[in-house]
Amino acid sequence: MPILTINNVLAGGVLLRAGMLFYGLWQDAHMNVKYTDIDYSVFTDAARSVWNGGSPYERSTYRYTPLLAWLLTPNIWLHPTFGKWLFVLCDCIVGYLIIRILRERKLSEQTAAAYSMLWLLNPQVATISTRGSAEATVCATVMAAFYAFQRKHVIWGAIWFGISVHLKIYPIIYALPMLIVLDRATFSSIPKPSLSLWGKIRYEATKQRLMFFLVSGSVFVGLNIVFYIVYGREFLDETYIYHISRKDHRHNYSMWFLPIYLKFFSPASITMGLLSFLPQALVVTVLGFAFGKDLYFATFLQTFAFVAFNKVCTAQYFMWYICLLPVIWPYNTLRLVPDTLLLIAVWFGSQALYLQQAYRLEFLGENTFNLLWAAGAIIFTANIWILYKLINSQRVVPLFKSTVDHKKTS
């Protein structure tokens, strides 16, 4: 009887997360260094506020949608670990959707199980969700949207996409490749005629694209209207506007950290924060256009670049693109030895160099700010090199085969 099966990998992922969650409870009770992420305390305090009839933004540093606080109200009336179990559930749903996506792309059960291990049996991923980070909720809605698109369920895909953008604004970058995928050739066998400019615009404005725009926009705007009515301008300021003008004085993987830190109380820091969006937006847009037909590879590249260029970068953000790695890796031509192992070594090694300097700053009290910035620059350079290697070694596989091409070959 084969060991590498979908059921075994799913069971292993559940057991891994349950074990780490229970270990985290023990560490929180017996050690000075806590396992639970500070964000989980923020979520719980916000949930307590809304449960008592107040605003989640009564808790300072809560910069998320009120929807998350409401989802975690069972932390107050049921059990304080409810939210962690919810995040673990979302984490496992992502793993299940990865398997469904791979199976829909005609990969064997054993192959799908093997690649899903990159998420389900990844201790870094499991650590983030069991510590109480909410990133898995966003990943689950994003993957649900992509899976619905893959099955040509445009309305469901649009609904999940609208929810994902409401939860965290970054998935908005996926709109470009998603719109590219929904071209007329995907749903119609009529070849593209020679048209005037207005005729071409009408040809490209397909029913599916309009449906996606209207449904996803309605879900996103509808949720925002509801929470704006309840919580007012504070909801918009804390959930969205804050992240545009955000200035983070705490060190993080981004090489923008030190310049913003040194100018933190100067208007120049706001300018630097806004300028950081320009190269980020340009690269993300170009990648979306260039690889848009291959929805999974395009969105992986976009997310990887978005995180690399972002003015704030933490380990939780890595989950945004790791969830896409298992569905693109079957089509990569890099050899395991030495190519893939070299990529892994560079990715982890650059972070280890940074963490060494962060340890010296936080625990030994040494002034390592310049070295932290240099380590951040090394991380950025390493990520750009990894992006380059992945693009050069990937076999681009469009999500859909054009019905026009299919008609020609049949």
Side-chain angles (χ1 to χ4, degrees):
M1 186 175 181
I3 297 177
L4 186 56
T5 65
I6 289 174
N7 288 338
N8 286 349
V9 173
L10 283 170
V14 172
L15 290 174
L16 172 65
R17 286 157 178 78
M20 294 182 72
L21 200 155
F22 283 119
Y23 165 77
L25 296 178
W26 178 88
Q27 181 174 324
D28 287 345
H30 296 89
M31 299 179 68
N32 291 329
V33 178
K34 304 302 181 184
Y35 182 84
T36 299
D37 194 308
I38 186 62
D39 282 348
Y40 191 71
S41 299
V42 174
F43 298 156
T44 301
D45 290 344
R48 182 177 293 106
S49 293
V50 298
W51 182 249
N52 292 330
S55 166
Y57 306 110
E58 292 172 5
R59 175 49 159 101
S60 61
T61 74
Y62 185 81
R63 319 288 188 186
Y64 312 92
T65 168
L67 180 60
L68 180 61
W70 277 106
L71 287 173
L72 298 187
T73 52
N75 279 16
I76 311 305
W77 57 265
L78 182 60
H79 196 275
T81 64
F82 171 84
K84 290 187 178 182
W85 289 108
L86 176 63
F87 300 154
V88 164
L89 174 63
C90 291
D91 203 342
C92 293
I93 289 173
V94 172
Y96 175 76
L97 288 171
I98 287 170
I99 292 169
R100 296 308 311 156
I101 288 167
L102 293 173
R103 293 290 283 144
E104 286 282 334
R105 304 197 91 179
K106 308 305 180 185
L107 272 67
S108 69
E109 178 179 343
Q110 192 170 26
T111 302
Y115 283 108
S116 69
M117 291 168 62
L118 293 171
W119 176 269
L120 285 167
L121 300 186
N122 187 328
Q124 184 178 25
V125 170
T127 298
I128 290 172
S129 59
T130 55
R131 291 187 67 217
S133 172
E135 305 306 324
T137 58
V138 185
C139 294
T141 55
V142 166
M143 297 302 284
F146 290 167
Y147 180 58
F149 262 61
Q150 183 171 321
R151 302 200 58 172
K152 295 188 178 181
H153 298 325
V154 178
I155 292 179
W156 275 111
I159 291 172
W160 284 117
F161 180 71
I163 294 172
S164 71
V165 177
H166 174 77
L167 288 172
K168 271 256 168 98
I169 197 66
Y170 86 88
I172 193 67
I173 64 177
Y174 303 150
L176 178 57
M178 293 174 90
L179 287 170
I180 290 175
V181 163
L182 296 176
D183 64 358
R184 194 175 295 275
T186 300
F187 298 90
S188 172
S189 59
I190 302 174
K192 183 176 182 179
S194 298
L195 300 170
S196 64
L197 177 60
W198 174 242
K200 289 179 180 178
I201 293 174
R202 291 183 62 188
Y203 180 85
E204 296 297 338
T206 65
K207 171 186 174 183
Q208 289 74 23
R209 283 173 172 161
L210 293 174
M211 188 184 303
F212 168 72
F213 176 78
L214 291 174
V215 174
S216 62
S218 297
V219 171
F220 175 72
V221 173
L223 286 170
N224 287 342
I225 288 175
V226 168
F227 289 124
Y228 182 81
I229 291 172
V230 177
Y231 299 110
R233 175 60 187 266
E234 189 176 30
F235 155 65
L236 294 179
D237 289 340
E238 300 294 346
T239 305
Y240 300 116
I241 298 173
Y242 164 80
H243 296 282
I244 296 174
S245 59
R246 178 179 181 179
K247 299 188 301 179
D248 201 326
H249 67 283
R250 298 297 301 272
H251 64 82
N252 59 83
Y253 290 128
S254 174
M255 65 179 185
W256 286 97
F257 141 70
L258 187 58
I260 291 176
Y261 172 80
L262 294 175
K263 299 289 185 179
F264 190 76
F265 294 105
S266 166
S269 64
I270 298 177
T271 303
M272 283 188 287
L274 294 174
L275 286 176
S276 69
F277 283 117
L278 296 180
Q280 184 185 44
L282 178 61
V283 172
V284 165
T285 302
V286 169
L287 291 172
F289 266 119
F291 300 97
K293 288 288 187 180
D294 187 343
L295 178 64
Y296 295 114
F297 188 52
T299 52
F300 173 86
L301 294 178
Q302 284 184 302
T303 315
F304 195 94
F306 182 91
V307 173
F309 280 84
N310 207 35
K311 61 184 176 181
V312 178
C313 180
T314 66
Q316 288 94 323
Y317 296 0
F318 301 157
M319 289 183 70
W320 299 350
Y321 58 77
I322 292 176
C323 67
L324 293 162
L325 185 62
V327 297
I328 69 159
W329 204 250
Y331 308 101
N332 194 278
T333 60
L334 286 176
R335 296 169 299 175
L336 176 61
V337 181
D339 300 327
T340 303
L341 292 181
L342 179 60
L343 291 185
I344 295 172
V346 169
W347 192 73
F348 278 110
S350 60
Q351 294 172 44
L353 182 63
Y354 175 91
L355 292 173
Q356 180 192 32
Q357 304 307 319
Y359 173 82
R360 291 174 59 194
L361 173 68
E362 295 287 348
F363 293 95
L364 303 182
E366 299 178 15
N367 184 354
T368 60
F369 281 100
N370 290 331
L371 291 174
L372 274 172
W373 178 86
I378 291 172
I379 289 176
F380 177 78
T381 304
N383 284 333
I384 298 304
W385 178 76
I386 291 171
L387 197 66
Y388 167 79
K389 296 292 288 184
L390 291 176
I391 290 173
N392 281 343
S393 60
Q394 187 74 9
R395 181 163 58 91
V396 176
V397 181
L399 184 63
F400 301 119
K401 185 174 182 180
S402 169
T403 54
V404 175
D405 295 338
H406 181 70
K407 187 176 181 179
K408 289 178 181 178
T409 57
S410 60

